[in-house]
Amino acid sequence: MQSAFSLSFSQSSLTLPNRPLCSPNAAPRNLRFCGLRREAFGFSPPKQLNSCRFQVKNRRIESFDYDLVIIGAGVGGHGAALHAVEKGLKTAIIEGDVVGGTCVNRGCVPSKALLAVSGRMRELQNEHHMKSFGLQVSAAGYDRQGVADHASNLATKIRNNLTNSMKALGVDILTGFGSVLGPQKVKYGKDNVITAKDIIIATGSVPFVPKGIEVDGKTVITSDHALKLESVPDWIAIVGSGYIGLEFSDVYTALGSEVTFIEALDQLMPGFDPEISKLAQRVLINPRKIDYHTGVFASKITPAKDGRPVMIELIDAKTKEHKDTLEVDAALIATGRAPFTNGLGLENINVATQRGFIPVDERMRVIDGNGKLVPNLYCIGDANGKLMLAHAASAQGISVVEQVTGRDHVLNHLSIPAACFTHPEISMVGLTEPQAREKAEKEGFKVSIAKTSFKANTKALAENEGEGLAKMIYRPDNGEILGVHIFGLHAADLIHEASNAIALGTRIQDIKLAVHAHPTLSEVVDELFKAAKVESPASTTPQSVKAAV
Amino acid sequence: MALSSSSFLSTPSLPNSKSTISFASSVSPAPIPSLRRVVFRSHRREMTVRSKIREIFMPALSSTMTEGKIVSWLKTEGEKLAKGQSVVVVESDKADMDVETFYDGYLAAIVVGEGETAPVGAAIGLLAETEAEIEEAKSKAASKSSSAAVAPSPPPPATSSPAPAISQPAPVAAGSDGPRKTVATPYAKKLAKQHKVDIGSVAGTGPFGRITASDVEAAAGIAPSVAPPPPPPAASPTATTAKATTTSSPPLLPDSSVVPFTAMQSAVSKNMIESLSVPTFRVGYPVNTDALDALYEKVKPKGVTMTALLAKAAGMALAQHPVVNASCKDGKSFSYNSNINIAVAVAINGGLITPVLQDADKLDLYLLSQKWKELVGKARSKQLQPHEYNSGTFTLSNLGMFGVDRFDAILPPGQGAIMAVGASKPTVVADKDGFFSVKNKMMVNVTADHRIVYGADLAAFLQTFAKIVENPDSLTL
């Protein structure tokens, strides 16, 4: 890491004098250091950097306090800050709450800790599964506080890593609530005003609670409360069957709760490829202690009080007629997330939010009320609502830094993978089958589907986890991958071969010749590539060209 | 998915990547008078067909598939089906696939249950065209499944059994106003559906009077099969009220569990009860096995097993004592069997089965050993055909490999005698001159039906058996 870093440092110092003409191949290599993985940097001595920053300062014509100020130290802001330092920018990050934002403190990170527990509980409780290994386990039990501590300890650890990595690199962490005062001017805390050449808004989101629902934090809760695992109710209703709801259903049922899903759309897991959601329902919902109501809104939810359980009024999603009243022990509101953009001072620069989201163009440049770009102002992550995922925010942040350091960059959102960490996991990148078919119809190309099963994979069978499906949607004429969807063991880790291929434009006829270690789960994806029937021949590989020359 | 469903008919060879498939269903050829045979894909509308029950076949999902396992039925019996809907998930050697229906109708009966296997082309369910035909199809399914080798376990009776939990009036939730609606937890509803319990008739004893899984289990007359996961130790708002409800089966000790019999275990249970009506007696006999052991060492490399040796010896002895190979079917007569078929008890995972070595007296030792290996293989993979496990005329049970020195067997119904073989052990014996020596001795204990086999018969049989074992050269002839 150390050597890799000094290398990039020397590059940036070399290219600084003519920054706008920054060599295009200098940057992509560094992209791999995005997101949380940069914690490893925490140990790099900051000395070199300071000298670098000094250089930059001397060469600057205009005088700003910072080259870049980021409002919000979540995963998006963190990714942007680290990349900015790497690019030689003097960077500050403003945080009004805790470093790490939703992902680290109230989202992906603690939920993964709970899911790690639920996965093990599930295995230990599955007598049949254990027996098939020849293992004998007496009753599996758990200590709720111990589970909760695991989640909060993990969040603390990752938060510290994040903080240290930024401090070590010389990012100034400014504490206080940040807002935009005007062009290139930001206020934080009570009345600290700083100027910056460029500003990134990365304020993220908060759980969305529809009206009529009274959240008391005890029996009617959001993911923020649920992650603390202060109780494991006997029966919990989960409003919304997207990623968040699904993951919590996995946790709660593994810990012994019964779950009732309430979904406004006509089917569960509406965001997934239909075939995947059908299979997921068969594996993640039907055999578990879960039932569901679809096509209904929870119009009113009252917390448990005065000896009454939690009451949930259901109305038909279309006709709005009363349909049912549920009585449960708790309700988790997982209806999505709302952007956290209030009090940002957007009125100072004439920006109007749309349902709370800050409008941006494909380069994350903020668009004002007149449809014009606001100079030097960017918005990344959940606050712009393009793709509400931690790693998407980080990628957007890196894309912005690329732009402000002179390299035009447009992030291909279709190459950003997404994952749901149930047991087994669900992952996807690109288009779903219906989306692809719609696009194909419009643009006049053919679409083909390739599928492989985890049942045919040695490693999956060795783990007794043959349940699963991988599916690829592609163009048979040129071998372009349009989308890949995986449901099965470690699906979240398997998707990256496909997402990288999409990001780099690798075609199936080329990637199918790449070799995978045997026996590994990655062969499921390998089989997908090999199962595809592409009309165009493989291109000559760059290596062989080089060898020939 | 409509695309793939039609492709099943038009293209006989099926690409493996398809995960949805339609089953071919045809009108049943079974001789039910009210049924008329209709040619597959005929113009149904024009014909005046009174009633029609179609069989749902196990489809061939790949060219290599010979049998398929039912992963799950997506519909329950009695549920309405629309053309093109997925009905059942079948596991092939490659993948799980949805099987769709070509016809509208009702899933009248499930012939092959979840987790069971059926050969390609076998009926796995019945589809009735109208609701009225469901009953008819069900009775048909019952006759089908009873003839099947491994019958699906019958559904537990839905009628209330004398479970203590339901005889008491359910506590009415305090403060309930007006007629209370039924509140049942997700798992309770699932169990009710599974055990065909009318949820409306179950009294809820859970918090706020709700119906919990244990209420449904009590109503269905079954004890909780798996102990529920331990309630969280920390105080959740409802933990205290919930705890009281989970202890509804007093006779069970904490952490104990009740596992219902499998079909095989039920059969064993039934046979054992039946055996009580037969007057039996036992005769034991020590057999010197030095010569047999020596022979075994010699023929072992040729694939001969001890079981084959013993079966052959028993077969040869039975040939000289036909009455021990007879049975008493009606309590009035001897039924002499023309063949000597030795059933050998084999413990298999979760059960007991008796593959039969037919004509054990006639087949040579090597063929017998080969046959035995084949039968054991089939028994372990549950592929024994009925005649391969129920045609025995005499049973051999050997627990010698566990070091058991002697034991007593229960006579299986329909046979005259059963031989229980213990371990062969070095024993100090004194000969008639008072010299001591060490010989390998094995205790053989035969249980017989005294209506047809008398003490002297059995003793003579054992003497013959002992002679054969002690001079085993005849076994290899």
Side-chain angles (χ1 to χ4, degrees):
Chain A
M1 277 306 180
Q2 178 62 52
S3 65
F5 188 76
S6 30
L7 202 70
S8 62
F9 156 73
S10 60
Q11 258 171 4
S12 50
S13 66
L14 276 174
T15 50
L16 272 174
N18 47 0
R19 235 195 278 165
L21 298 172
C22 178
S23 144
N25 20 348
R29 189 161 49 82
N30 300 323
L31 280 176
R32 65 196 154 104
F33 296 125
C34 54
L36 296 176
R37 214 158 322 157
R38 296 223 211 169
E39 291 148 10
F41 273 146
F43 307 101
S44 321
K47 229 178 172 186
Q48 282 181 319
L49 287 164
N50 289 341
S51 64
C52 162
R53 198 198 297 163
F54 192 61
Q55 264 184 334
V56 174
K57 235 179 195 170
N58 278 354
R59 286 168 196 276
R60 202 176 0 249
I61 303 145
E62 293 170 83
S63 137
F64 291 103
D65 296 331
Y66 292 96
D67 295 319
L68 179 66
V69 164
I70 302 158
I71 306 176
V75 169
H78 176 259
L82 265 61
H83 194 61
V85 172
E86 198 174 312
K87 287 285 174 184
L89 302 185
K90 187 189 179 192
T91 309
I93 196 160
I94 300 173
E95 180 52 60
D97 185 24
V98 280
V99 170
T102 296
C103 173
V104 172
N105 300 291
R106 300 173 298 271
C108 350
V109 171
S111 67
K112 294 306 94 61
L114 296 183
L115 283 157
V117 173
S118 80
R120 279 171 179 76
M121 275 301 280
R122 238 171 240 303
E123 266 185 58
L124 295 173
Q125 286 167 351
N126 190 342
E127 224 175 301
H128 174 72
H129 184 84
M130 283 294 157
K131 233 185 206 164
S132 64
F133 280 121
L135 292 179
Q136 290 166 351
V137 177
S138 54
Y142 68 92
D143 158 33
R144 183 200 55 77
Q145 192 55 49
V147 178
D149 289 348
H150 174 51
S152 71
N153 291 345
L154 180 71
T156 309
K157 185 174 177 153
I158 303 295
R159 180 168 64 238
N160 290 341
N161 287 353
L162 232 63
T163 312
N164 293 342
S165 69
M166 289 196 290
K167 276 187 187 154
L169 288 176
V171 174
D172 286 347
I173 302 175
L174 311 173
T175 309
F177 203 85
S179 61
V180 181
L181 279 187
Q184 301 176 301
K185 199 184 275 180
V186 173
K187 186 184 96 170
Y188 73 93
K190 268 220 157 127
D191 43 13
N192 309 303
V193 177
I194 47 171
T195 58
K197 188 175 163 294
D198 294 294
I199 299 167
I200 297 178
I201 298 171
T203 45
S205 61
V206 291
F208 170 67
V209 178
K211 66 176 193 318
I213 297 177
E214 186 189 335
V215 172
D216 71 346
K218 295 266 183 282
T219 56
V220 180
I221 58 178
T222 67
S223 56
D224 288 0
H225 311 105
L227 287 165
K228 293 183 187 144
L229 202 72
E230 280 172 355
S231 70
V232 179
D234 290 346
W235 184 5
I236 184 165
I238 299 182
V239 186
S241 66
Y243 298 70
I244 304 174
L246 213 53
E247 288 190 354
F248 275 108
S249 79
D250 195 284
V251 171
Y252 279 117
T253 52
L255 299 184
S257 303
E258 295 181 35
V259 168
T260 296
F261 269 120
I262 298 165
E263 172 58 55
L265 294 174
D266 286 334
Q267 64 176 54
L268 292 177
M269 297 173 267
F272 300 96
D273 183 88
E275 200 167 348
I276 296 288
S277 66
K278 202 161 100 181
L279 180 61
Q281 175 160 348
R282 192 172 299 152
V283 177
L284 301 176
I285 308 283
N286 295 349
R288 298 184 180 172
K289 297 176 181 180
I290 301 176
D291 69 350
Y292 50 86
H293 300 263
T294 53
V296 290
F297 283 129
S299 60
K300 187 165 186 275
I301 300 184
T302 336
K305 57 186 163 198
D306 309 328
R308 284 178 164 280
V310 174
M311 307 290 277
I312 303 178
E313 300 286 333
L314 295 183
I315 58 167
D316 190 287
K318 291 189 190 85
T319 63
K320 309 288 180 221
E321 278 166 18
H322 176 85
K323 281 199 79 170
D324 208 345
T325 305
L326 304 182
E327 299 176 8
V328 291
D329 297 323
L332 168 66
I333 314 305
T335 41
R337 300 188 61 86
F340 182 61
T341 52
N342 277 343
L344 258 176
L346 295 172
E347 61 286 351
N348 299 336
I349 42 169
N350 188 28
V351 170
T353 59
Q354 292 165 358
R355 292 178 301 121
F357 294 109
I358 297 176
V360 293
D361 70 352
E362 79 278 7
R363 289 177 174 80
M364 310 301 139
R365 293 179 290 197
V366 174
I367 300 167
D368 72 9
N370 304 322
K372 290 213 181 73
L373 293 176
V374 181
N376 309 103
L377 185 65
Y378 302 82
C379 175
I380 62 168
D382 289 2
N384 71 32
K386 270 185 182 290
L387 188 56
M388 296 173 84
L389 293 168
H391 50 275
S394 183
Q396 290 171 356
I398 289 165
S399 174
V400 168
V401 171
E402 285 289 307
Q403 290 168 54
V404 303
T405 53
R407 177 174 168 263
D408 190 27
H409 185 266
V410 177
L411 181 66
N412 177 8
H413 282 84
L414 285 177
S415 74
I416 297 179
C420 184
F421 295 82
T422 44
H423 296 93
E425 295 171 345
I426 311 171
S427 64
M428 71 213 72
V429 64
L431 305 174
T432 63
E433 186 178 336
Q435 286 169 343
R437 294 213 181 272
E438 195 189 320
K439 187 178 175 194
E441 186 123 330
K442 240 183 247 164
E443 298 176 16
F445 58 82
K446 260 178 69 186
V447 166
S448 289
I449 310 286
K451 278 183 226 166
T452 55
S453 164
F454 279 64
K455 272 210 174 68
N457 182 276
T458 310
K459 187 73 187 301
L461 291 178
E463 301 281 345
N464 270 328
E465 302 269 5
E467 192 87 65
L469 170 80
K471 168 179 180 180
M472 175 169 68
I473 303 136
Y474 65 99
R475 282 182 66 157
D477 56 343
N478 62 9
E480 183 188 349
I481 301 171
L482 300 172
V484 173
H485 304 266
I486 308 177
F487 175 77
L489 183 64
H490 294 312
D493 292 307
L494 293 178
I495 196 70
H496 297 98
E497 190 165 4
S499 63
N500 287 352
I502 293 177
L504 303 175
T506 314
R507 297 296 160 101
I508 298 167
Q509 60 270 35
D510 295 326
I511 203 168
K512 76 193 288 183
L513 301 174
V515 182
H516 295 70
H518 175 75
T520 58
L521 292 172
S522 73
E523 289 169 292
V524 170
V525 185
D526 186 31
E527 288 290 321
L528 263 191
F529 297 142
K530 291 194 161 67
K533 302 216 171 7
V534 180
E535 287 147 23
S536 6
S539 55
T540 336
T541 59
Q543 280 85 351
S544 63
V545 171
K546 253 183 228 159
V549 175
Chain B
M1 285 306 130
L3 274 174
S4 54
S5 67
S6 57
S7 74
F8 182 61
L9 275 186
S10 52
T11 57
S13 71
L14 199 80
N16 283 328
S17 60
K18 287 265 162 34
S19 76
T20 307
I21 257 167
S22 292
F23 56 73
S25 89
S26 81
V27 170
S28 153
I32 291 182
S34 61
L35 290 180
R36 273 186 59 178
R37 295 194 67 154
V38 179
V39 181
F40 186 53
R41 285 184 129 197
S42 61
H43 303 284
R44 288 192 284 150
R45 296 283 163 246
E46 281 90 327
M47 296 185 70
T48 49
V49 177
R50 290 223 318 276
S51 74
K52 218 166 11 175
I53 297 163
R54 298 170 193 280
E55 285 183 348
I56 302 171
F57 288 149
M58 173 64 72
L61 301 177
S62 70
S63 53
T64 56
M65 177 172 165
T66 56
E67 57 169 31
K69 183 175 159 195
I70 308 292
V71 176
S72 61
W73 283 94
L74 302 173
K75 304 284 172 184
T76 51
E77 286 185 1
E79 211 168 320
K80 198 171 184 324
L81 307 176
K83 194 175 156 183
Q85 266 183 342
S86 298
V87 179
V88 58
V89 184
V90 171
E91 180 185 284
S92 77
D93 43 355
K94 298 240 165 52
D96 290 352
M97 303 197 190
D98 283 16
V99 178
E100 294 175 357
T101 168
F102 275 151
Y103 302 97
D104 294 337
Y106 295 86
L107 179 59
I110 289 170
V111 178
V112 180
E114 291 183 1
E116 289 171 23
T117 308
V120 167
I124 54 175
L126 294 176
L127 181 73
E129 194 163 322
T130 65
E131 223 164 332
E133 287 154 10
I134 294 178
E135 277 314 309
E136 193 180 343
K138 268 191 180 156
S139 59
K140 204 178 145 200
S143 64
K144 243 185 214 325
S145 58
S146 63
S147 65
V150 179
S153 51
T159 50
S160 60
S161 57
I166 51 166
S167 55
Q168 295 152 4
V172 178
S176 69
D177 38 347
R180 277 195 65 83
K181 67 187 204 94
T182 310
V183 177
T185 72
Y187 189 43
K189 279 189 251 175
K190 247 173 219 187
L191 279 177
K193 202 173 168 189
Q194 200 181 324
H195 296 294
K196 303 196 168 58
V197 171
D198 175 17
I199 199 95
S201 68
V202 179
T205 62
F208 311 105
R210 76 170 65 128
I211 298 162
T212 63
S214 50
D215 294 334
V216 174
E217 278 169 337
I222 48 167
S225 50
V226 179
S236 75
T238 56
T240 43
T241 43
K243 231 175 186 163
T245 65
T246 50
T247 52
S248 61
S249 45
L252 277 180
L253 290 171
D255 292 335
S256 53
S257 62
V258 172
V259 180
F261 281 155
T262 62
M264 184 191 281
Q265 289 160 343
S266 306
V268 170
S269 167
K270 187 172 147 278
N271 279 346
M272 291 303 97
I273 298 293
E274 228 172 87
S275 74
L276 292 176
S277 63
V278 176
T280 55
F281 73 112
R282 293 150 189 92
V283 176
Y285 203 104
V287 182
N288 184 341
T289 62
D290 287 329
L292 186 72
D293 293 341
L295 174 69
Y296 180 51
E297 285 308 314
K298 243 191 278 171
V299 293
K300 202 175 166 184
K302 294 174 190 160
V304 174
T305 61
M306 185 51 91
T307 301
L309 280 168
L310 291 172
K312 176 76 180 169
M316 286 170 70
L318 286 169
Q320 295 179 38
H321 301 271
V323 73
V324 184
N325 193 47
S327 61
C328 181
K329 303 249 190 265
D330 51 5
K332 292 180 203 151
S333 58
F334 294 85
S335 300
Y336 286 100
N337 292 301
S338 53
N339 298 63
I340 295 174
N341 297 338
I342 310 266
V344 186
V346 175
I348 62 169
N349 193 20
L352 166 71
I353 197 154
T354 53
V356 175
L357 283 166
Q358 294 182 351
D359 295 321
D361 58 325
K362 296 199 184 82
L363 286 181
D364 78 46
L365 203 48
Y366 304 102
L367 274 177
L368 214 54
S369 301
Q370 216 169 22
K371 184 85 197 157
W372 179 243
K373 260 181 211 142
E374 196 183 305
L375 287 170
V376 170
K378 277 188 180 176
R380 300 226 190 280
S381 55
K382 300 190 176 165
Q383 282 171 338
L384 283 178
Q385 298 301 308
H387 72 271
E388 287 173 319
Y389 60 81
N390 63 14
S391 61
T393 58
F394 178 89
T395 301
L396 184 65
S397 181
N398 182 1
L399 292 180
M401 55 287 218
F402 295 105
V404 167
D405 72 340
R406 76 196 71 184
F407 70 105
D408 215 35
I410 293 180
L411 181 65
Q415 293 182 17
I418 178 171
M419 179 186 276
V421 180
S424 173
K425 293 212 274 196
T427 312
V428 177
V429 289
D431 68 11
K432 54 181 181 287
D433 301 320
F435 289 109
F436 289 98
S437 63
V438 176
K439 303 257 185 227
N440 281 330
K441 290 261 180 196
M442 164 175 97
M443 273 304 293
V444 174
N445 197 3
V446 178
T447 306
D449 182 346
H450 207 302
R451 289 173 301 175
I452 52 170
V453 184
Y454 306 158
D457 297 333
L458 207 49
F461 163 72
L462 278 165
Q463 197 177 21
T464 307
F465 177 77
K467 261 189 197 141
I468 293 170
V469 169
E470 285 163 10
N471 303 289
D473 290 345
S474 60
L475 289 175
T476 55
L477 294 177

